[in-house]
Amino acid sequence: MKMAFLLKKVWGFVIIRSGLGTSSSSSTSRSTSVGSTTRDILCNSGSLGALDQLPTDVIMQILHLLGPRETARLAVVCRYFRVLVSDNKLWMNFLQNGKDSWDCIAFSETHLHAGPPSEIYYDHPVQLSFMSVYAKRTLVPGAVIIDGGSGYCKYGWSKFDSPSGRCATFLEFGNIESPMYARLRHFFSTIYNRMQVKPSSQPVILAIPICHCDDTESARASRRQYREAIFSVLFDMNVPAICAIDQAVLALYASKKISGIVVNVGFNITSVVPVYRGKVMHEIGVEIVGIGALKLTGFLKELMQRRSMTYESLYTVRTIKEKLCYVALDYEAEMRKDTTSSCEVSGEGWFTLSQERFQVGELLFQPQLGGVRAMALHQAVGLCIDHCYNSDIVGDVSWYKTVILAGGTGCLPGLPERLEKELSKLLPESMSEGIKVSPPPYGTDSAWFGAKIVSNVSTFTEAWCVTKKRFQKKYKMGASSIVSSW
């Protein structure tokens, strides 16, 4: 009842002051929990009459109960309220009570506020008004997120908690041979039809798989041509704006990081991608390993056949792999253990595996076990770390010691710990000390969630999206800056 009385009194005071348009010149010292700068200004912000009896932290509690919309209206009442309602702590609280997690908001508004990375790297403090951030985030339009993937496509509405649909990727991303336009058009049209939305209704965020990895003029031209084709197709479908970001970068954003090495275990290959401040560092080198999820599934199929186990399809084998397989920290020690376990596959009954459970994941570290001629995963990551260590990048010398796994196979239990162990054995201490390998933060959907974080940043429309007009203007001038930094 007392709080209701206070709310009524404060709001009556607001109405009176709004009508009179006056303010007093007296000042009163009040106890407060707001920031020191705000507190200093409040001391000279005038009198609230009878409300001067209330400590500022009590008034702040009342503002919390009023909510963001009514609180924002107080800014026009007098200088005191204008200062009080602009306090960052108040609006941080409102943001924390919203749908998005606070760590995602803090990360995106601090590191992604300015848009995609530039070619110039420098540190600059970001001074944010969370009152402004709150207002802008409420106006950010939703976006369609399409994560093509190398095996499975995830798509959905950015305001949803997870992708609304999944399907096998029926477009071979990265192939720029004709008819590229027709194949891209078919792919995007199918996605929009399945989502039952018009392309013209929302911006789209597209996760671009790593392709043409070399730092050669030919590879750069191929990447540019590929992205130009994507933009042309989507704009011809009347998409209002496009935001296209590398999958590896989005997986890093999902981990609340802007720099590190992303190890994406894809459908056919595994890519080891160095990312510095949101930019794929092709000049340092993207390492490619000829082992992916398909090879691991095929290896499990072979092991099951050796035991005369029957199954209906490769999908069954993949399901068993996802339910039972893991990576051993010590392969030889694991061979001496009883690791028998079983799982049920719908419609096919129960399957029991023993050593096969960890032999499948061991293929990543000992490809010869499956007759595969490829570089081991830890060797490829170690080579990438060595290149990063010897690069000309200044500033944070440990940026490459953050290693993020991505892709469905990256979710194998035990993979982060084993990779850390192998890297510590492979690399000198100066490189290996402090290396932290983390699993995919959102499992197979990490790139999709990274795109979701970008789509909700307060500057999304102006800082991250490219409109058709801007796209055409740039290319009429013969410029390629829109896509050259991807």
Side-chain angles (χ1 to χ4, degrees):
M1 292 298 292
K2 290 183 178 180
M3 184 58 71
F5 171 76
L6 287 174
L7 283 171
K8 183 177 180 181
K9 190 170 183 179
V10 169
W11 201 242
F13 171 80
V14 168
I15 295 172
I16 294 172
R17 290 295 292 267
S18 298
L20 295 176
T22 60
S23 62
S24 175
S25 60
S26 63
S27 62
T28 304
S29 177
R30 304 174 177 92
S31 75
T32 178
S33 60
V34 299
S36 59
T37 302
T38 303
R39 182 166 57 247
D40 293 340
I41 298 174
L42 287 174
C43 291
N44 299 308
S45 295
S47 172
L48 294 179
L51 292 180
D52 281 339
Q53 304 297 320
L54 292 177
T56 303
D57 54 356
V58 172
I59 297 180
M60 293 292 280
Q61 294 277 349
I62 296 172
L63 295 183
H64 287 309
L65 294 174
L66 285 175
R69 179 174 296 182
E70 300 300 344
T71 295
R73 291 176 59 189
L74 293 174
V76 302
V77 174
C78 66
R79 188 185 178 205
Y80 175 85
F81 274 124
R82 186 162 60 249
V83 174
L84 195 62
V85 303
S86 64
D87 185 73
N88 263 350
K89 288 185 178 180
L90 175 65
W91 291 94
M92 286 167 63
N93 182 271
F94 286 143
L95 287 166
Q96 288 171 0
N97 292 333
K99 188 175 181 180
D100 297 323
S101 66
W102 170 247
D103 57 344
C104 285
I105 295 172
F107 166 76
S108 63
E109 297 299 340
T110 302
H111 297 288
L112 309 181
H113 190 83
S118 65
E119 298 295 330
I120 302 174
Y121 306 118
Y122 56 91
D123 291 311
H124 58 280
V126 178
Q127 299 295 330
L128 294 174
S129 163
F130 282 103
M131 182 179 180
S132 175
V133 165
Y134 186 98
K136 288 182 177 180
R137 288 178 74 94
T138 59
L139 299 176
V140 170
V144 171
I145 300 176
I146 303 176
D147 173 16
S150 54
Y152 291 87
C153 173
K154 282 80 67 177
Y155 53 87
W157 179 241
S158 64
K159 300 298 183 181
F160 289 172
D161 293 332
S162 60
S164 56
R166 306 166 197 273
C167 63
T169 298
F170 41 86
L171 172 70
E172 183 183 354
F173 279 108
N175 185 349
I176 62 170
E177 297 176 0
S178 59
M180 169 60 80
Y181 183 96
R183 295 170 69 234
L184 283 168
R185 179 100 185 195
H186 173 71
F187 174 77
F188 292 123
S189 296
T190 303
I191 297 300
Y192 277 109
N193 287 337
R194 290 183 177 183
M195 290 188 65
Q196 298 182 336
V197 297
K198 294 181 178 179
S200 59
S201 59
Q202 298 95 15
V204 61
I205 302 185
L206 185 66
I208 304 288
I210 289 292
C211 59
H212 309 290
C213 303
D214 298 334
D215 188 38
T216 62
E217 186 59 40
S218 174
R220 286 193 291 270
S222 295
R223 290 195 295 270
R224 190 160 53 244
Q225 181 181 354
Y226 174 45
R227 287 157 171 76
E228 287 175 20
I230 289 174
F231 272 57
S232 297
V233 168
L234 288 171
F235 282 133
D236 285 348
M237 294 173 65
N238 295 319
V239 171
I242 303 169
C243 172
I245 310 174
D246 281 296
Q247 279 181 339
V249 175
L250 291 174
L252 200 60
Y253 288 167
S255 299
K256 321 307 186 291
K257 305 287 185 182
I258 59 171
S259 299
I261 294 176
V262 178
V263 180
N264 182 32
V265 188
F267 190 67
N268 290 302
I269 62 170
T270 295
S271 54
V272 183
V273 187
V275 179
Y276 185 69
R277 297 189 180 178
K279 181 179 183 295
V280 174
M281 304 302 289
H282 290 282
E283 56 267 43
I284 289 179
V286 175
E287 303 298 330
I288 300 296
V289 179
I291 302 176
L294 188 60
K295 280 265 192 334
L296 268 64
T297 304
F299 187 42
L300 178 56
K301 172 187 172 183
E302 180 184 332
L303 294 174
M304 291 172 66
Q305 286 174 338
R306 290 178 189 175
R307 292 181 52 191
S308 301
M309 299 175 68
T310 59
Y311 47 86
E312 288 190 3
S313 67
L314 201 60
Y315 175 80
T316 302
V317 181
R318 192 193 73 156
T319 303
I320 296 170
K321 180 189 72 174
E322 293 173 352
K323 289 187 174 184
L324 292 181
C325 291
Y326 65 95
V327 176
L329 185 63
D330 186 326
Y331 180 69
E332 297 301 330
E334 206 74 10
M335 290 288 288
R336 296 189 291 270
K337 299 178 182 178
D338 180 8
T339 57
T340 303
S341 186
S342 303
C343 73
E344 184 179 15
V345 178
S346 179
E348 294 198 52
W350 287 85
F351 293 84
T352 301
L353 299 182
S354 182
Q355 294 180 344
E356 299 88 0
R357 296 181 63 205
F358 58 88
Q359 286 175 328
V360 171
E362 191 65 23
L363 194 66
L364 293 168
F365 298 93
Q366 299 189 61
Q368 70 276 9
L369 292 178
V372 179
R373 298 184 62 181
M375 187 187 305
L377 178 62
H378 60 287
Q379 292 173 334
V381 178
L383 186 59
C384 183
I385 289 175
D386 180 69
H387 291 161
C388 294
Y389 179 81
N390 292 297
S391 68
D392 296 329
I393 292 178
V394 296
D396 183 6
V397 295
S398 64
W399 65 273
Y400 54 84
K401 294 187 177 182
T402 296
V403 180
I404 304 296
L405 299 176
T409 303
C411 299
L412 279 175
L415 182 54
E417 295 81 3
R418 175 65 181 279
L419 183 54
E420 270 189 32
K421 176 185 174 181
E422 296 296 337
L423 289 173
S424 65
K425 290 164 54 178
L426 178 67
L427 298 170
E429 187 176 352
S430 59
M431 293 187 197
S432 64
E433 185 179 9
I435 287 178
K436 175 64 177 175
V437 181
S438 302
Y442 293 94
T444 59
D445 300 334
S446 291
W448 193 92
F449 274 94
K452 177 179 170 68
I453 290 174
V454 173
S455 72
N456 288 322
V457 71
S458 61
T459 56
F460 171 66
T461 305
E462 60 266 33
W464 287 90
C465 290
V466 176
T467 61
K468 184 175 183 178
K469 182 177 181 181
R470 182 185 169 201
F471 175 75
Q472 292 176 333
K473 181 179 179 181
K474 285 287 183 181
Y475 285 99
K476 282 181 181 178
M477 297 169 59
S480 60
S481 59
I482 288 180
V483 295
S484 63
S485 62
W486 295 351

